[in-house]
Amino acid sequence: MIDETQAPEVKAPPVKLYAAMAKARSEMKAPKLDGTNPHFKSRYVTLAGLLEAVMPALSANGIHIWQAPVDDCLLTVVTHESGESVEYRSKMPVPKDAQQLGSFLTYLRRYTISGLIGIAGDIDDDAEAAMPSRSNRGGGPKVVAVNPSPRDEL
């Protein structure tokens, strides 16, 4: 039976970890775009290139990042020498084979670390690569004229 009069346990925010992350981030240089996607003809930071760029500053500030697949997620645990830690789970799509699983894991590991640290891992294309080609969308952007209301002119 659950005692409803007792407040749930509230975990203190990992302030030492966050302070160390901020310090580590200030010591990092932007990673090199060391990978090329031949399909989209774009450049990006590989997982190895990202880790090479961020791990020295993280380690120097007592931070460790651990990642592993757990069930249908990539579990990322960021720990600090103080004992503080945070966990993040990134949902993975269902792979069709082991090679695709490896690709999913590499992609998720790279993007999760980039997001946690606040480092861009590729050239921002304003989501163009995720969109159907312009020829499939019916041409370029459409401009629609709007008659301003008298109130808009004030």
Side-chain angles (χ1 to χ4, degrees), residues 21 25 28 30-31 50 54 111-121:
M21 284 288 279
R25 180 62 184 96
M28 293 177 197
L50 177 64
V54 304
Y111 274 88
T112 300
I113 292 170
S114 293
L116 289 174
I117 295 172
I119 287 183

Side-chain angles (χ1 to χ4, degrees), residues 35-104:
T36 303
N37 181 328
H39 180 71
F40 292 113
K41 297 178 178 64
S42 62
R43 299 184 66 216
Y44 65 95
V45 177
T46 63
L47 177 59
L50 177 64
L51 293 175
E52 184 180 312
V54 304
M55 291 311 292
L58 292 175
S59 295
N61 286 281
I63 299 167
H64 176 73
I65 296 178
W66 177 84
Q67 294 179 301
V70 176
D71 299 322
D72 61 347
C73 295
L74 172 70
L75 173 64
T76 300
V77 181
V78 182
T79 60
H80 184 249
E81 62 191 13
S82 67
E84 295 176 341
S85 65
V86 290
E87 292 184 5
Y88 302 91
R89 292 181 184 266
S90 305
K91 185 99 167 141
M92 287 192 307
V94 177
K96 63 182 178 188
D97 55 34
Q99 183 177 4
Q100 193 174 58
L101 173 62
S103 294
F104 288 161

Side-chain angles (χ1 to χ4, degrees), residues 114-128:
S114 293
L116 289 174
I117 295 172
I119 287 183
D122 51 16
I123 296 171
D124 187 351
D125 71 350
D126 196 31
E128 282 297 315

